[in-house]
Every structure is written in C-alpha cells, then in structure tokens.
Amino acid sequence: MPVRARRVVRLALVGFGHVGRRFAELLGGPYGRILRRAGLEVRVTAIATGRHGLAVDPRGLPLKRALRLVEQGRPLTTIHRGLPVASTAALVAAAPYDVLVELSPLEPLTGEPATAHVAAALRRGRHAVTANKGPVAHARRHLDALARRNGVRFLHEGAVMDGFPIFNLAERCLRGVTVRGFRGVLNSTTTRILSRMEAGVPFEVALGEAQAAGVAESDPAFDLDGWDAAVKACALANALMGADLRPADVERVTVRGLTAEAVEAAAREGKRWRLVARAERTGRKVTARVAPEELPLGDLLVSGGADGVLVLDTDLMGEVGLWEGAGGVDQTAYAVLSDLLEVAGPLRRQARP
Ligand SMILES: NC(=O)c1ccc[n+]([C@@H]2O[C@H](COP(=O)([O-])OP(=O)(O)OC[C@H]3O[C@@H](n4cnc5c(N)ncnc54)[C@H](OP(=O)(O)O)[C@@H]3O)[C@@H](O)[C@H]2O)c1
C-alpha cells in the first residue's frame, strides 16, 4: 500500500514557559500522533524566550533537549544553529517557520510585544496562533485584517477560558448567528476568594490562601480590580461581537469594596457575589463592564467547581452557555493544537527558506 507523504509544518514558539513547554512535551506524544494522523509532520524550528535565549535550527530543534535546558535554567543557545539571532523580533522576522505560536506573557495595558510579534508574522505571510489575550484585546480587528490581506489565519482559542472552544463555537457552530451580548464569570481567583468569604473566611485570609496556592499573584490588583476580567471581556467583545474595544474602555469595579458581612449575608439568603463581565450592543456601539454582582443561586453564572462560565445572548439561538471545569496549562496547550490543526489544514505557504 502506498505511504502518503506527510506535509512538514514548521513552528516558531515565542515563549517557552508553562504552556509552550507543555505543548512541546505533548508534541512528543499524543499531539504528535494526532498531527501525523492529519497528515502533518510538525517541526519546531525556532524558540524564543525572555531569559533563556533563542534557538533556531531549520531542520528542527531537539525538543527534549530544549525542555531539559530550560528546566535546568540553562540557555537554549547551545542548540542554536547558524548566525546569532539578536532578538525575538529578529527571530519572528527572519527565522524559517510556517506558523508562529505566540505564548509570551500578557502585558494587559498595551498587549505588547505579543501584538507586534503576531503582526510581523502575518505580514510575512505566516499563520499566527496565540493563547495570549493581549493581541486579541488590543488589536484583534487589525490583526484579522492583516491576516486576510496576507492569505493566512490569526487564531487565538486559548486566549479566554483556556482551551474551551468559545471562538470555534461562535465561528463554526453558530454560523449566521449574531452574538448580541454576553455575561460571564471569567476570573477564577475572585470566585475562589468570594466562595471562601461565603464560608465566613475574612477577605485578607482568603486572598492569602489563593496566593499560597499560586492562583493569585503577589500583586493581586490584576484579579481583584477587574483587569484580568476586563482584558478577557474585551477579547470576547472584539472577537464575538465585532467590537474594537481596548481594556481601558471596559468599565471596572473592584471586588475590594465587598465586606465579609455582605458576602456572608447574601449566602444566608441563597445568593452569591461574583465578579461578572458583561458586554452589550446598543445600536452600533458595544460596551463592556466588569463589576461584582449579587446573583441568585439558580443563575447559570453561579456554578460550583467552575473555573469560568460564559453565557452568550444570541439572536437565533437564545442563550448559549459554556461551563469550564478545571482549566489551565493542559487545556491551553490543547487550544494551540486545535488552532494548529485548523491553520495547517489549508496551509497555503509551503516550505520556504
Ligand atoms: N498558564 C495558563 O494556564 C494559561 C491559560 C490561558 C492563557 N495563557 C496565556 O498563555 C501565555 C503563556 O502563558 P504561560 O503560563 O506559559 O506563561 P509563562 O510560564 O510565564 O511563560 C512565558 C514565556 O515567555 C517567555 N518570554 C517572556 N518575554 C518574552 C519575549 N519578549 N520574547 C519571547 N519570549 C518571552 C518567557 O521566557 P523566560 O522564562 O526565559 O523569561 C517564558 O518562556 C500568556 O500570555 C498567558 O496569559 C496561559
């Protein structure tokens, strides 16, 4: 029986942290098998990091070695082949790859440098896939137009609710449907803190517990003051409702004003306080807001064990909800795989130097 040749797809990973490394590990196992079954032979030809250097090898980098080097805190430069590469921007501009996988940290106020990396790849006629909310919240419309002009795709399934298929759902399963608005509980840190306060635990203690468990940052403002939820709301409004919002356009109300007494009293009445993100369209204008809301227990947004809940308000399908159980690195790595399968299927640009 003739053996079908697999198409080689070269990836540049910008960011080799929790998600990038998990994706690379799984490429050596189930992801590799899934991609091969889809007729694709994936090679990682470039990796950029912040403090662990850069590596490029047009034939494909040794991933197990790259993982070991970074886990040992050593630079990737020992596996680099060819002329030195000065910066991540230079790697994105010149390294040999077909798909840029952007997994650098979120910079919530500007979305940079991730947005610039994605734009540079798209201008080169390379597909771009990201789990970084920054480019979606700050420049989705621009990047989408850039991708279309260059005959490539910009996909970002991992940017909100990890790998739970929100963007794919809207694009593929809700064809012709208009998303009129949404409401969601998108920040798991505040849900965790508020749930503890319902049981009578003071705010500062609940926050300390979340920090000790590694789910809240040492500077918790990003979660508590609604920035995380605002960046997510912005990304959702831009991608699902065609808005062109920036995180600073989202009205934000902090959860810090909630007292333990108010949260406990609501719990006694069968209600729950949650940090809710909402967006709605009025005429041509889309507005988004993040604020604590007191919700009845039966509300879809009050769901025990959920890392996130999102309810879309649509014209033809009424309410469509997504419930995310435990989300994290594995789900986000899966989102990268799913986007990769999507862009690599109709890969138009074949092996270039
Ligand atoms: N972790 C999750 O569960 C999750 C879920 C959904 C979305 N996301 C998003 O996915 C992205 C990656 O998350 P993560 O958890 O993997 O982050 P992470 O563990 O902090 O890793 C970030 C990586 O980016 C590198 N980096 C930093 N600045 C860079 C630059 N200028 N150029 C190139 N590389 C740079 C870092 O290198 P050094 O370590 O050498 O500095 C590191 O390899 C983030 O945008 C995050 O918001 C993560």
Side-chain angles (χ1 to χ4, degrees), residues 58 62 74 84 96-97 111 130 144 210 248 256-257 268 321 350:
R74 293 162 61 201
Y97 64 88
T130 188
D144 205 39
R256 292 185 210 248
R268 278 196 301 274
Q350 299 280 334

Side-chain angles (χ1 to χ4, degrees), residues 277-322:
R278 288 182 182 270
E280 63 180 17
R281 181 184 296 282
T282 314
R284 294 167 67 89
K285 195 167 180 233
V286 174
T287 51
R289 180 171 195 265
V290 170
E293 292 186 24
E294 196 181 37
L295 303 165
L297 256 190
D299 194 297
L300 286 174
L301 297 188
V302 181
S303 183
D307 259 7
V309 184
L310 177 69
V311 180
L312 306 180
D313 170 32
T314 76
D315 59 347
L316 303 178
M317 283 289 289
E319 284 196 330
V320 177
L322 262 115

